[in-house]
Amino acid sequence: TVKRRNHGRSKKGRGHVKLIRCDNCFQACPKDKAIKRFNVRNMIEAAAKRDMAEASVYESYDVPKVYYKLQHCVGCAIHGRIVRVRSRVNRRNRAPPPRFRQEFKKPTGAPAAVKASA
């Protein structure tokens, strides 16, 4: 009996895979076994962004984003709640988790001030 059909790795025909270092604890971990997440953040947080917009000469300025890839060993990924322990039945589920993205809704009707004056 095996716990996972891929033995916890994505190495199919390869004999050896290079090691990476965990971003949290610096433990050596095979690259195919590591839990990888791609992180995108603004260079400055929301409060500083507002201050910068008030002090800026330009009306609109897109703050650059920071793109970096996080690689964790299994222990750190579980401890940091990047992945969760799943039951034996739920381990078979290979579908990606649902994405929660904020969708900006466009206003459908005319603004309230225009309706009142008409």
Side-chain angles (χ1 to χ4, degrees), residues 28-89:
C29 175
K31 186 178 180 181
D32 62 316
K33 188 172 189 172
I35 287 88
K36 296 171 276 292
R37 294 289 181 267
F38 196 70
N39 212 332
V40 181
R41 283 189 181 170
N42 284 326
M43 263 192 191
I44 54 174
E45 68 271 20
K49 189 176 181 180
R50 189 171 57 247
D51 294 341
M52 198 170 112
E54 290 171 3
S56 177
V57 178
Y58 304 106
E59 286 102 30
S60 64
Y61 174 70
D62 290 334
V63 178
K65 294 184 181 297
V66 179
Y67 301 90
Y68 54 96
K69 189 173 187 179
L70 295 171
Q71 297 176 322
H72 294 284
C73 64
V74 176
C76 287
I78 291 170
H79 182 72
R81 298 193 189 107
I82 297 162
V83 291
R84 304 277 170 118
V85 176
R86 296 189 293 174
S87 67
R88 183 177 289 182
V89 177

